[in-house]
């Protein structure tokens, strides 16, 4: 082989290897962590009516996939300890290993912080929970101090380990770095808005366990599965997908389980099994 042909062959080999590296680097990363469910369990625990009481289904779910639920007795703890229905409901939830969070509204940083702390105190002393879910959370840096104070207050309680902020959109990165949240809900919206949604660039720099999405009005199981796949691609670990909708008469997408619930649970379980087998 001539020196010229040898140089051409070497150049061709280098070019092919470089092209292969580019293709490999462009490939979407595979899921390397277990997907978890974050369920807004905003239905009343009607344990006395088995036709409407679906909390036992959540217990079955938690035995298959990692599950966190949010309870909301009355737009918060309701000013006191749980009534007998919530006491029974919480007893049922404790039949499985799951994290239970208490709902607290913050009115985008406008609610009196003493009232927020009073709700946290009630959950801490009377409900035996693992954490707090702060709803109606501001996303701008101007309210960061407010939420950091609440975060530190929650973390000072011996039994409250988890703080979830529901901004439902892109929060300032300071909420993660200060921090003011363990988990940020960076998308809460209609199914139709999810395909075109793009998370902030910083999301890829953090563990997937820092992020969640809640997607409603998802029409069928096939769309549900594609939405979960997209969440994995976008570095989001906590998900909840439902066909319930704010367009329904009760205007609450979070007070029932989706019609394809078992398919959703099974799909997440299958993805998590693949993750475990690849380790």
């Amino acid at each position: 082989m001539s020196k010229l042909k040898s140089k051409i062959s070497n150049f061709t080999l280098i070019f092919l290897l470089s092209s292969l590296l580019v293709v490999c680097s462009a490939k979407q990363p595979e899921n390397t962590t277990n997907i978890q469910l974050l369920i807004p369990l905003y239905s009343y625990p009607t344990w006395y009516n088995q036709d409407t009481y679906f909390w036992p289904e959540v217990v079955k779910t938690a035995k298959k996939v990692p599950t966190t639920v949010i309870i909301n007795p009355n737009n918060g703890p309701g000013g006191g300890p749980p009534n007998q229905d919530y006491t029974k409901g919480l007893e049922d939830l404790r039949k499985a290993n799951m994290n239970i969070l208490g709902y607290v509204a913050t009115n985008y940083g406008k609610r009196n912080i003493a009232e927020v702390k009073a709700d946290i105190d009630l959950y801490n002393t009377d409900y035996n929970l693992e954490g707090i879910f702060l709803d109606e959370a501001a996303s701008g840096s101007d309210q960061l101090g407010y939420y950091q104070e609440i975060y530190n207050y929650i973390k000072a309680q011996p039994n409250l380990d988890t703080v979830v902020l529901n901004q439902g959109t892109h929060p300032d990165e300071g909420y993660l770095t200060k921090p003011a949240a363990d988990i940020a809900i960076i998308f809460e919206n209609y199914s139709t808005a999810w395909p075109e949604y793009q998370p902030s660039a910083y999301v890829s720099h953090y563990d997937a366990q820092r992020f969640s999405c809640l997607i409603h009005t998802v029409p069928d199981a096939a769309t549900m599965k594609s939405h979960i796949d997209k969440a994995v691609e976008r570095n989001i670990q906590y998900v909840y997908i439902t066909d319930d909708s704010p367009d329904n008469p009760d205007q609450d997408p979070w007070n029932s389980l989706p019609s394809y619930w078992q398919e959703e649970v099974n799909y997440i379980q299958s993805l998590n099994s693949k993750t475990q087998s690849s380790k």
Side-chain angles (χ1 to χ4, degrees), residues 61-80:
T61 295
K63 295 178 180 179
K64 295 181 177 181
V65 299
T67 300
T68 297
V69 301
I70 308 150
I71 61 165
N72 185 11
N74 187 15
N75 200 33

Side-chain angles (χ1 to χ4, degrees), residues 37 224-225 228 239-242 258 260-269:
L37 281 163
M224 171 269 292
K225 292 175 183 178
I228 292 174
V239 302
Y240 181 70
I241 316 291
T242 183
Y260 42 70
W261 180 241
Q262 197 55 56
E263 289 180 83
E264 183 168 342
V265 173
N266 291 344
Y267 188 62
I268 293 174
Q269 187 178 29

Side-chain angles (χ1 to χ4, degrees), residues 223-268:
T223 307
M224 171 269 292
K225 292 175 183 178
S226 70
H227 284 358
I228 292 174
D229 291 342
K230 188 66 70 174
V232 172
E233 290 177 14
R234 291 170 174 165
N235 199 40
I236 297 171
Q237 181 172 351
Y238 289 87
V239 302
Y240 181 70
I241 316 291
T242 183
D243 55 2
D244 203 347
S245 173
D247 300 329
N248 290 339
D250 63 10
Q251 300 181 330
D252 187 354
W254 314 124
N255 62 359
S256 68
L257 294 177
S259 60
Y260 42 70
W261 180 241
Q262 197 55 56
E263 289 180 83
E264 183 168 342
V265 173
N266 291 344
Y267 188 62
I268 293 174

Side-chain angles (χ1 to χ4, degrees), residues 87-109:
T87 298
K88 176 64 170 64
L90 288 168
E91 287 176 356
D92 286 344
L93 294 180
R94 291 298 178 195
K95 294 175 182 177
N97 181 23
M98 72 177 79
N99 288 330
I100 306 176
L101 312 180
Y103 177 100
V104 176
T106 64
N107 192 24
Y108 307 99

